[in-house]
Amino acid sequence: MMGNMRTEAHSAFFSSLFLCQKAGRKRMNRKIRTYLLMGLFLTAVGGMEQASAAEGQVYDLAPVTVTATRYASKDLNVGESTQIVTSEQLQQTGQTNLQQALSFLDSVVYNSMGSNGTAASSMTSKIIIRGVEDGTLVMINGTPVNWRRKYNLEDIPLESIEKVEVIRGGGAVLYGSQATGGVINIITKKKLPNQVQAGLGNYGQQDYKVSANAGDFSFAYHYNKWGDTGLISSTWPSADYPVRTKTSKEMRMRFKKAEKNDFLATYKINDSLDFLYNHDESTNNWEYTFQRGTPLSYRGAVRYDRKYERDKDFAQFNYHDENGYSGHFYYNRNTLETHGHDYRDSKGSLLETPSAVWNKEKNLSYGYDFQKLWTGQKQTFLLGTSWEKNDYKDYSEGIQKNDYSRNIFSVFGSWDRDLTDLDKIILSARETWTTGAAEDKNFNNFSGQVQYIHKLDHDQSIYASAGQSFVLPTFSEMYSDGTRAGVNLIGDSNLKPEKGQHYELGWKKETDKAQYKVALFEERIKDNITYSKGSGNYADKWFARNEDFKNHGLEASMTIKQNEHVTWHTGITWQNPKTKVNSDKPGDKNYWDRTYGRFILNAGLSYQKDKWAAALNANYLADRVLSPTTAHSFDEKPYLLTALNLKYSPNKNSDISLTVNNILNRDDNINHTSSHYSSTPINWILTYGYKF
């Protein structure tokens, strides 16, 4: 029996490779042949695991995804690398926002500039999937919430989230522009709990939450504050000074404080229609100071200070019915405002009068996304359409400088067909085009994907996937005017859209006590949009540009429910992300250069018994480099992110929890370009919660 199963699986893999070959370009033949031995290895492993699969197939750690296919599917029937994080698992991390909680995901690189994932203006914290810097598409209930390819996961509290679904690899065929690294879909709760929470910690931490429901209406309010965490960034090491010397000159950022206010309301209108509204405001303060290597006369002095204010409104109507129709209307407004003063020039000389800086930008998108699903005994067909209006405005010194808008239209579909009882194929495609853009800067793109899944038995499957992705340039990337004071980005109206190719082979196994996953991937992105640092009079500016990107690697993970009290998880990734600039400008790197790190290891352990619960999580990035935009990458020490959460429940209504982050008190660099942004020293928060 086992031999027959292996023979069928081998046949299925050869069939899937043939389908991928027909779907892709000529160079896909070489890639698929390269991966053939790995595919046979995964098949053999699946066959050897067959005997232990008889325990059962009910996997109680969230086996169903709606993001990978745009309709509910068992993870075993999906031809992509996925990870589903439940509300309970998010709460176990002890973090106060989603950015921090997702830093322990499989196969991700974490990037941040401030405490608690705080952003510094448009320098936002990131969850980087498969090495693609700005390739993560973040959605709420299937609606994209990115603003000019940025997102602020640190502003999303955990108590409103039902689960988070993560799809690694290009997801642009089903969800459009930006999903070159992967998709994070935040699925919110329809009914919020009745509870209050209050937390206090070191570094001036304060965290207060309240949520309640009355029938079909729920609301939640969350306030979070951090105080002064000191000097957290350094220009050492850098491309010029990879090793600190007596002649090195150091500038450092001081994180002064941050505050966040978040309000969320949901309303179930009827069985088919519900409404969500979220308003968020955040403020953080920074100082840029002269440090070691500068004259004593102004060492420690502030060159400039900045106050960054961001507020957003997100509204969403969600519709679904029994006839297969579903979709949503949405409105997403994001405003970023910068205040501050320049006190000294770059050489340390005092300005005659402090120079005031005020800039503001508004990013607005609204539209709809609707689909119709037809389901049969052996096949599922999906057809949909979407429209989004993009508006971008920016201001300086109280005067509006730019106003751009465009329409983005898409038609998409997929066909899921059972070929046999064990084999299925999924074909997907999307056509996207824009209208109304200035200077005839309109784009169109067609992308497709083919996935082949073979079930080794009812507990495990293997798959092969080949697909495409794309990214439309944002208005800021094309038109940002860096000649104005306080504006550091200089756009390029001739930017090309990104286009990516993604290939993946994988194996999945689920039982009632364990989940195993292995994925082998390769991806190439043409004209990846990024920024390069200027020089001379433009040393403080960043220029938009196109570059090429490539990466390949192996991901493996397992989750084990050891017994009714203990669950543990571990994931390991080896990858090799590289970039090459498509330019002959002086200083541009027109050679393949490494970025981020090659080795990622993450692990988590949770325990729960009677009134006690505990969870320990860690993420380790090694064999890493810092990658300046105009100089060769250089080695950087590994980082190790850690969090420990302890909870005691004296009764069914009360919880007392203690969360400790950076438990080893490491000074790790959580930036990846040419500056050092230190992880926050060991910090803790003690929280009391009451349910009513």
Side-chain angles (χ1 to χ4, degrees), residues 659-675:
T659 301
V660 183
N661 291 306
N662 193 6
I663 58 179
L664 300 179
N665 200 27
R666 292 171 59 96
D667 180 10
D668 285 336
N669 187 2
I670 47 178
N671 188 45
H672 304 273
T673 53
S674 58
S675 297

Side-chain angles (χ1 to χ4, degrees), residues 88-235:
E88 292 77 12
Q89 292 167 328
L90 291 171
Q91 296 290 340
Q92 284 175 355
T93 66
Q95 305 304 308
T96 59
N97 64 68
L98 191 58
Q99 175 72 28
Q100 294 292 90
L102 293 186
S103 65
F104 303 109
L105 281 174
D106 293 340
S107 307
V108 303
V109 172
Y110 180 75
N111 183 88
S112 183
M113 274 66 63
S115 303
N116 209 30
T118 301
S121 185
S122 60
M123 294 172 55
T124 59
S125 299
K126 301 174 184 177
I127 299 293
I128 300 159
I129 302 175
R130 290 187 174 174
V132 187
E133 181 176 2
D134 289 318
T136 301
L137 177 64
V138 176
M139 304 188 298
I140 294 180
N141 301 319
T143 296
V145 294
N146 293 43
W147 54 281
R148 63 175 178 90
R149 296 215 285 167
K150 310 293 183 181
Y151 47 88
N152 293 86
L153 290 174
E154 75 276 10
D155 291 336
I156 301 177
L158 300 186
E159 58 272 10
S160 63
I161 300 172
E162 181 67 32
K163 63 177 178 176
V164 176
E165 298 188 358
V166 182
I167 312 299
R168 286 183 282 274
V173 175
L174 291 181
Y175 293 106
S177 176
Q178 303 188 38
T180 48
V183 175
I184 295 176
N185 189 16
I186 304 160
I187 300 173
T188 60
K189 295 177 180 178
K190 302 305 180 185
K191 187 174 183 179
L192 300 177
N194 295 309
Q195 66 177 16
V196 293
Q197 293 183 357
L200 296 173
N202 61 344
Y203 293 106
Q205 289 187 74
Q206 299 180 45
D207 191 73
Y208 306 103
K209 306 172 187 176
V210 59
S211 63
N213 68 79
D216 295 326
F217 175 75
S218 295
F219 79 93
Y221 172 72
H222 181 203
Y223 172 81
N224 180 268
K225 181 178 181 179
W226 273 75
D228 192 335
T229 55
L231 298 172
I232 65 169
S233 80
S234 172
T235 53

Side-chain angles (χ1 to χ4, degrees), residues 478-499:
M478 290 190 291
Y479 303 116
S480 182
D481 183 5
T483 62
R484 304 199 309 268
V487 179
N488 295 325
L489 306 181
I490 299 178
D492 183 350
S493 61
N494 296 314
L495 285 176
K496 302 175 183 178
E498 298 180 17
K499 294 186 178 182

